[in-house]
Structure formats: C-alpha cells, structure tokens
Amino acid sequence: MTIHTPLRGLRCFCVAAECLSFKETAKQLYLTPSAVSHQIKQLEDNLNLSLFERKTRAIALTETGKRFYQEVQPLLAQLADTIAQFSQVERMQEVSISMPEFFASELFVPKLIGWSAQYPNINLKLETVKSRRDSPKYTDLSIILSGKQPDESQAYDLFPISYVPACNPKLYEQIHGKSYRALEKTPLILHQARPHAWHQWAEHVGYHNFKPKQIIQLDSMFSVARAAQQGLGVALIPLPISQSWFSSGSLVRLFEQELLSRDRYYLVRHDDDANRPEIQLLIDWVLKSFQPVNG
C-alpha cells in the first residue's frame, strides 16, 4: 500500500526530533507552531505510529520515533545533497540577518552596494529591531548591541560604542563656550534604554551637582539624533555609528568628552549548517566592512 507522506512533513519531523521543540522547529522552518504540530500529526496518522510523546512543556521521541529518525534523516540528507548536485551552479541563494534599525540605516544599508556587486546571486533578507526589548524574528545572523559577550559559540566582536553630547549648529552657536552650565538651561535628550546616561556623563567629566532642566527619553536612536538635528535640545549621540551626522554638519559636538560604555556591537551566527557557504560569505563581508570602524 502506497503511503502519501509529504517530504515537508518528514523534514519537519527531523528538525523537531533534533531540537525537541515545536516552537524552535517553527522558527527554523519559518512556520507557526500550530503548522508544525499539524504536519507532525499528519505524518503520524499516515504512518499509524506515535513518533512523539507530548508532555506539558516539552516533547520527547518515542522509541519508534527514535528508530524512524535514524532511518529517515540520512535519506533526507542524501536527497538534499543530490538536489544540490543537480542544481545550477549559479543558483540564487538567500541569507537573512537582523540588526538594530539605527545600525541598518547608518552603516549597513549604505554599504549594501558593495555586497550586491560582489555577490549578485545571493539574496539578502534584512530584519530591523527597534529596541533591545523587541524579539527579532529567527534569522541566520544577527547584529546585536550588548554589554557582554553573547553566549552563542559563533559571535564576533565588531566595535565598541561611546556617547558624545551634540546638537544642531544653531543651538551650538547659542550655548557653546558657556561651560557645562549650559546643559542646565536646555532640554537633554537620550535613548530610554540608557535613562541615567546624562548623569553618568556628568560624573565622568567631574560635573558635580548636575541639575538638568529637562530630560527627554525617546525609544529609538534615530529619534534621538533627529530630535537633536531639529533643535529640540542636546543629545547623547553614539559614536562611531553616527559619524555621518557629524560629517554632514547636521550635528556638532558640544563637548569633546565622551561617555565610554560597555556596549559593543556583535555579529552572531545562529545557523551552523556547513552546507550554506553563503552565510560565511556574509560573515566575512560584515567583518571586513565594519570591524575597521574600531580603529
């Protein structure tokens, strides 16, 4: 009797058997957890076998499921290799990467012309994250801003971040040369992820009894830079990532002293599939493009 078992159901089963989580399987296959559960259930119904033991907060392979995985996984791997061998050499590939939206707009996107010219057969899928509290979608790679080394085995240090007081040229002409006291007479702008940054900067430069007139917290670094550009007040702007704002004259450093932070940008790899060389190509390109910023 012929059993109509879709290949996608077998692939879904193998991924679930390896990570023992329908939620993680859904992330890796770009499906919903309910779709994963449906495909697994359909496969079990077709085989008339129970492959997984469902627990309250976990799943586990049954003994039958373990034996089935040991038989099916090598066959799927061989099938994938065969398809790859018969595919066109110049086939289109795709790599996905997520990063903070400010990093994307200020550094990554402006350099994409170089990537597109060098790798015309690799499609790039870019996901942006507004803040560190947001949960990014699953991607092959991600660029993150963190105060500590990521736990992932493949994490690359890109460059550190420091913060400098800056404003637009008009406001600069009004308040520069008036010492740190000028900061008590104009609104101060910062990212809400660093609510105490202005007080930390004041302590760093030895400005005691710091009493700001008003502090405005915004939820994105682009909004912080834009507000300073529009003359709303003086903002703590991250360097070197915001260098283009200073090079264009949109912003001017009010004081030279920088607030050093533990924050650094890291490149993290999530997909360790050795059969996807396009991921390593993007890693090499990112390191070559952005690590020199550190120097």
Side-chain angles (χ1 to χ4, degrees):
M1 181 179 65
T2 302
I3 299 177
H4 300 287
T5 302
L7 280 175
R8 66 176 181 271
L10 292 174
R11 180 166 182 255
C12 188
F13 162 74
C14 285
V15 174
E18 291 164 0
C19 60
L20 295 179
S21 166
F22 287 170
K23 183 177 180 181
E24 182 62 28
T25 300
K27 284 185 179 181
Q28 294 190 29
L29 298 180
Y30 299 99
L31 298 172
T32 63
S34 60
V36 170
S37 180
H38 175 73
Q39 289 191 23
I40 298 296
K41 183 63 169 61
Q42 187 178 48
L43 177 62
E44 290 179 318
D45 290 344
N46 287 341
L47 298 173
N48 196 25
L49 296 172
S50 178
L51 302 175
F52 286 99
E53 180 182 348
R54 276 80 168 174
K55 301 179 181 180
T56 304
R57 294 189 178 181
I59 59 172
L61 284 168
T62 62
E63 290 301 319
T64 301
K66 291 178 182 178
R67 294 198 305 272
F68 187 67
Y69 172 76
Q70 291 170 356
E71 294 291 336
V72 168
Q73 195 278 333
L75 297 176
L76 286 182
Q78 182 179 354
L79 178 61
D81 290 341
T82 302
I83 293 174
Q85 291 174 13
F86 282 85
S87 296
Q88 294 181 358
V89 175
E90 295 297 319
R91 71 190 187 281
M92 294 300 294
Q93 300 168 313
E94 180 177 282
V95 186
S96 59
I97 185 171
S98 64
M99 66 189 66
E101 62 177 1
F102 198 64
F103 190 104
S105 65
E106 301 305 306
L107 292 182
F108 194 83
V109 172
K111 288 184 177 288
L112 275 182
I113 294 178
W115 165 266
S116 299
Q118 190 172 357
Y119 302 107
N121 295 311
I122 302 179
N123 290 331
L124 191 63
K125 184 177 181 181
L126 173 61
E127 300 279 353
T128 59
V129 182
K130 189 171 185 178
S131 71
R132 281 187 262 189
R133 291 184 306 226
D134 295 340
S135 299
K137 296 180 180 178
Y138 178 84
T139 51
D140 302 318
L141 301 169
S142 62
I143 293 175
I144 63 171
L145 182 63
S146 176
K148 63 178 182 177
Q149 177 81 18
D151 295 330
E152 286 82 356
S153 59
Q154 295 193 56
Y156 307 86
D157 185 1
L158 295 181
F159 56 87
I161 287 292
S162 61
Y163 298 86
V164 61
C167 58
N168 71 1
K170 183 177 180 180
L171 182 58
Y172 176 82
E173 290 299 325
Q174 296 174 6
I175 64 177
H176 86 282
K178 296 183 179 180
S179 76
Y180 300 144
R181 293 293 177 186
L183 297 177
E184 297 185 0
K185 299 179 181 179
T186 187
L188 304 181
I189 310 163
L190 47 69
H191 196 292
Q192 65 182 23
R194 299 185 64 89
H196 307 297
W198 269 112
H199 288 83
Q200 292 169 345
W201 180 87
E203 181 180 355
H204 173 68
V205 301
Y207 181 18
H208 305 294
N209 299 319
F210 177 53
K211 298 178 181 178
K213 171 186 176 182
Q214 182 184 38
I215 291 182
I216 299 174
Q217 298 184 28
L218 301 176
D219 66 351
S220 76
M221 191 50 69
F222 181 82
S223 297
V224 171
R226 184 67 171 166
Q229 181 194 35
Q230 293 296 313
L232 180 60
V234 181
L236 279 176
I237 301 295
L239 289 176
I241 191 172
S242 304
Q243 187 56 49
S244 63
W245 293 72
F246 295 94
S247 299
S248 66
S250 298
L251 294 177
V252 182
R253 292 174 70 143
L254 182 59
F255 301 107
E256 289 300 315
Q257 294 90 337
E258 298 179 6
L259 173 63
L260 303 179
S261 76
R262 291 177 297 177
D263 289 341
R264 306 181 73 92
Y265 280 104
Y266 295 92
L267 173 65
V268 179
R269 177 169 184 168
H270 305 291
D271 188 319
D272 58 358
D273 187 349
N275 294 318
R276 296 189 62 197
E278 62 272 22
I279 296 179
Q280 188 60 49
L281 289 175
L282 182 55
I283 291 175
D284 294 341
W285 181 82
V286 169
L287 296 180
K288 182 179 179 181
S289 299
F290 302 117
Q291 275 189 328
V293 176
N294 194 23

